[in-house]
Amino acid sequence: MRAIGWVVAGLFLAGPPVLAQQQVEPAAPSAFAPKRNLAYGTAPEQKLDYYPPTVFTRSAPPLVVFVHGGGWEHGSKDNATGAAKIRHFTGNGYAFATIDYRLVPGATVEQQAQDVAASLALLVAHARELGFNPNRMVLMGHSAGAHLAALVATDPRYMHAQDLMLDQLRGVVLLDGAAYDVPAQIAEAGRFMRPIYTEAFGTDPTRQRALSPIAHTKGPNVLSFLILHVQREDGTRQSEALAKALRAEGSKVRVESIEGQGLRGHVALNRRLGEADYPATAIVDRWLGDTLMGR
């Protein structure tokens, strides 16, 4: 079963210019050297990579912060970010950061959410040095990373613990998560997937509920969400339920169904986002333009 769990968890890994209102020019290579393995904590996993834009912007660029997937137990910024994202977003005038976080079973999901918030705090504290606009940040996550991004964006305890407010995030992009309502997902999961969820969230329904973003949508919440899902029943169901709950509390939510079946489509969404001919890329580009640039 452990071998099966590793294979299944591994499946969790895996357009037009956005800044049309800003003039962009090729950057001098030495001016935009990436800053990698910046530490936001003392644990070896508490690191992030920061990539400035590869084009020159006349004002400080927005920042996209990515949280990788991997079933809460696997994955890293080195193997689960997707190189197309880095090339695409930095090439369109965005700064881009991708974070590592401590993994189950060495850490709890609560600590993983704390790591996401702590990484944001480090970036905000060094915004001037890094050269991005801390008032124009978006959090993005895939799979387990989508769950963590949604949790940080709905349960204010994690941001508040870092002296941050939810409105410091302009928006959140969730890529094919399926654990926004943890008890429901565990109840409906098959025998291969259920051990991954119970390893992360345990068997206590109270804890499972506390780690469910849908349980925190009464607010406050980040005010804008883009929720993407592929053609798999659990991801579709969970995405629509979270969107409905967020809209009821006043958040602006867009949900988009993306081509791709099951876990194969789930992996492709992460790997291909940023490719010019992949439909999700244009959807994310338009949403980022509206959310960060007010278009």
Side-chain angles (χ1 to χ4, degrees):
M1 177 63 73
R2 188 66 172 178
I4 293 172
W6 172 267
V7 171
V8 175
L11 291 172
F12 280 81
L13 311 180
V18 181
L19 302 183
Q21 292 184 342
Q22 290 196 87
Q23 294 182 347
V24 295
E25 303 169 0
S30 61
F32 292 97
K35 297 180 182 294
R36 300 190 178 182
N37 285 316
L38 300 176
Y40 63 85
T42 59
E45 302 90 346
Q46 291 175 312
K47 301 285 180 62
L48 64 88
D49 292 344
Y50 174 85
Y51 298 86
T54 55
V55 294
F56 174 78
T57 60
R58 298 189 183 279
S59 58
L63 174 67
V64 176
V65 181
F66 183 75
V67 186
H68 70 77
W72 299 272
E73 191 174 356
H74 306 291
S76 77
K77 60 182 172 55
D78 299 320
N79 64 25
T81 295
K85 293 185 192 68
I86 301 171
R87 290 192 301 267
H88 178 75
F89 293 122
T90 59
N92 279 288
Y94 291 102
F96 186 88
T98 178
I99 74 166
D100 274 341
Y101 50 88
R102 291 169 290 174
L103 298 174
V104 172
T108 64
V109 174
E110 291 89 340
Q111 289 173 320
Q112 293 178 332
Q114 290 165 10
D115 283 355
V116 173
S119 70
L120 291 171
L122 176 85
L123 288 162
V124 169
H126 294 275
R128 181 180 294 273
E129 170 194 343
L130 294 170
F132 72 89
N133 186 341
N135 297 314
R136 293 193 295 161
M137 295 192 303
V138 159
L139 186 62
M140 177 186 293
H142 173 249
S143 193
H147 162 266
L148 292 172
L151 185 60
V152 169
T154 54
D155 186 344
R157 292 178 296 175
Y158 300 103
M159 293 284 276
H160 289 179
Q162 299 295 326
D163 294 323
L164 298 174
M165 303 298 291
L166 288 180
D167 62 8
Q168 290 179 256
L169 290 171
R170 285 284 189 93
V172 180
V173 181
L174 305 179
L175 305 176
D176 208 48
Y180 307 130
D181 183 337
V182 174
Q185 183 66 359
I186 291 177
E188 296 163 358
R191 65 188 182 94
F192 294 134
M193 294 300 297
R194 187 171 291 114
I196 293 174
Y197 293 117
T198 55
E199 177 77 7
F201 299 104
T203 58
D204 178 5
T206 300
R207 178 173 179 246
Q208 293 172 359
R209 184 70 176 166
L211 290 171
S212 299
I214 203 167
H216 302 287
T217 53
K218 290 297 182 184
N221 305 299
V222 173
L223 291 179
S224 186
F225 287 78
L226 175 62
I227 304 176
L228 305 184
H229 65 81
V230 299
Q231 311 309 303
R232 58 184 187 124
E233 290 185 7
D234 54 351
T236 300
R237 183 170 55 248
Q238 292 256 335
S239 295
E240 293 288 355
L242 179 63
K244 181 179 179 180
L246 287 166
R247 288 184 184 123
E249 296 302 318
S251 290
K252 181 180 179 181
V253 186
R254 180 177 176 183
V255 181
E256 292 283 352
S257 177
I258 305 300
E259 65 180 18
Q261 298 290 323
L263 288 175
R264 186 179 297 275
H266 175 78
V267 172
L269 176 56
N270 186 54
R271 186 184 69 249
R272 296 197 61 196
L273 182 64
E275 295 179 3
D277 62 346
Y278 185 57
T281 300
I283 293 170
V284 173
D285 281 352
R286 287 193 296 270
W287 183 88
L288 286 173
D290 292 340
T291 300
L292 291 172
M293 304 304 297
R295 296 201 314 241

